[in-house]
């Protein structure tokens, strides 16, 4: 079903008016993909696409903040991305460091808490330094949470959770019977966040690529061919409109919109 067809002619304000403020996702997760292709189609080095993608990150953060979406989680670097050419990894790290330094005033001004998930210790020391700075400076901010998944893998996160949970069980922190889904969720790095309601992936790829595997059990998935550097405020609004047309059932049956008509007897 193509919900967004016919919306091309609408202005951003008209799109905004189509969004029901009472049915917004609380948590949006994004796989920002397609930076390399964006650059390659322009004959530019891949890093130019990563640079351009930063403006799309700003747009997504601003849209969430303005609409009142509490949590935004963006996948910036996966565990698997370490296997990319060293030059690209290095440039990505420099870009990240620059982003953290530059965005701090805006995060403070808008009371956005910054957090990271992933195996951060693998990142260069200077990046870790800026991450810790940003996390501690923004820790009391309460308007929104911006989480960046860095050196992140959903399976690695589950492995880490299992190991911690096992240790706590061994030490008798709680009995075996109390282990349930909610408790496992508390051992994940997203323990303080609601599960994502909406996951957006750009660039036309329709896979999860090891992102938030546990947390996305019932997330609505939105795939768009738009490359991440082209995915701006308007595209984000279109994704929200599409989301609001979904019927989330969580495995249950659809509630009939009208009372059933009585079957006429005789
Ligand atoms: C996403 O863009 C950013 C990262 C994974 C760091 P890509 O770099 O994967 O771009 P494509 O998919 O090669 O076009
Ligand atoms: C997923 O994109 C990871 C990030 C966006 C950080 P990739 O480009 O690395 O994923 P694959 O290789 O297409 O699955
Ligand atoms: Mg990619």
């Amino acid at each position: 079903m193509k919900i967004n067809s016919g919306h091309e002619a609408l202005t951003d304000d008209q799109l905004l008016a189509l969004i029901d403020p009472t049915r917004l996702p609380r948590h949006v997760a994004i796989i920002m993909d397609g930076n390399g292709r964006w650059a390659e189609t322009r004959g530019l080095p891949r890093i130019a696409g990563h640079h351009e993608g930063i403006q799309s990150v700003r747009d997504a953060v601003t849209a969430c903040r303005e609409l009142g979406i509490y949590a935004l989680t963006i996948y910036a670097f996966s565990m698997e991305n370490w296997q990319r050419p060293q030059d690209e990894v290095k440039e990505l790290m420099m870009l990240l460091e620059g982003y953290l330094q530059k965005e701090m005033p805006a995060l403070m001004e808008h009371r956005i808490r910054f957090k990271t998930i992933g195996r951060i210790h693998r990142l260069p020391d200077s990046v870790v330094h800026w991450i810790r700075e940003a996390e501690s400076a923004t820790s009391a901010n309460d308007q929104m949470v911006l989480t960046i998944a860095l050196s992140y893998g959903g399976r690695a996160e589950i492995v880490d959770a299992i190991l911690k949970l096992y240790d706590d069980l061994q030490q008798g922190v709680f009995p075996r019977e109390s282990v349930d889904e909610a408790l496992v969720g508390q051992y994940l790095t997203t323990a303080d966040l609601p599960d994502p309601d909406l996951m957006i992936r750009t660039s036309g790829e329709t896979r999860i690529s090891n992102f938030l595997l546990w947390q996305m059990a019932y997330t609505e998935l939105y795939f768009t061919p738009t490359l991440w550097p082209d995915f701006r405020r308007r595209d984000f609004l279109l994704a929200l409109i599409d989301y609001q047309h979904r019927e989330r059932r969580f495995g249950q049956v659809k509630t009939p919109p009208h009372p059933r008509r009585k079957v006429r007897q005789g």
Side-chain angles (χ1 to χ4, degrees), residues 87-249:
D87 280 358
E88 184 175 344
V89 172
K90 219 165 138 191
E91 284 173 322
L92 271 168
M93 293 300 147
M94 280 165 56
L95 196 64
L96 181 66
E97 201 176 318
Y99 171 80
L100 288 172
Q101 293 178 36
K102 261 188 244 137
E103 291 318 291
M104 278 289 283
L107 296 177
M108 293 309 290
E109 184 190 342
H110 300 298
R111 305 194 56 74
I112 301 171
R113 180 157 67 89
F114 172 82
K115 82 175 232 143
T116 53
I117 54 172
R119 293 196 169 158
I120 300 303
H121 60 271
R122 285 190 65 179
L123 300 169
D125 289 347
S126 56
V127 177
V128 176
H129 167 80
W130 281 106
I131 287 173
R132 298 302 175 220
E133 286 279 312
E135 283 178 338
S136 83
T138 65
S139 63
N141 290 353
D142 53 8
Q143 282 304 298
M144 189 186 151
V145 187
L146 170 64
T147 305
I148 306 201
L150 279 171
S151 185
Y152 176 87
R155 287 184 170 177
E157 181 185 28
I158 292 169
V159 169
D160 291 345
I162 289 171
L163 292 173
K164 263 193 270 159
L165 200 136
Y166 176 78
D167 286 347
D168 283 354
L169 272 176
Q170 291 283 86
Q171 285 167 27
V173 176
F174 44 75
R176 196 175 181 280
E177 303 73 60
S178 61
V179 178
D180 60 9
E181 292 179 12
L183 189 107
V184 172
Q186 286 306 304
Y187 278 80
L188 299 172
T189 54
T190 50
D192 55 344
L193 297 173
D195 284 341
D197 300 295
L198 169 65
M199 194 284 287
I200 299 168
R201 183 174 186 148
T202 57
S203 91
E205 311 297 354
T206 46
R207 54 180 169 261
I208 302 297
S209 300
N210 205 9
F211 191 38
L212 301 175
L213 297 180
W214 172 280
Q215 297 87 338
M216 292 211 285
Y218 267 102
T219 299
E220 294 296 329
L221 308 179
Y222 178 86
F223 297 104
T224 169
T226 304
L227 303 174
W228 179 248
D230 291 327
F231 190 89
R232 294 291 161 91
R233 176 183 161 82
R234 182 179 175 83
D235 306 276
F236 191 83
L237 298 180
L238 287 170
L240 290 177
I241 291 168
D242 188 287
Y243 165 81
Q244 291 195 331
H245 282 83
R246 313 269 181 105
E247 187 199 21
R248 303 186 75 189
R249 286 198 286 272

Side-chain angles (χ1 to χ4, degrees), residues 33-35 37 46 84 201 203 205:
D33 198 14
N35 294 353
R37 277 163 281 170
R46 291 176 56 84
R84 292 195 177 192
R201 183 174 186 148
S203 91
E205 311 297 354

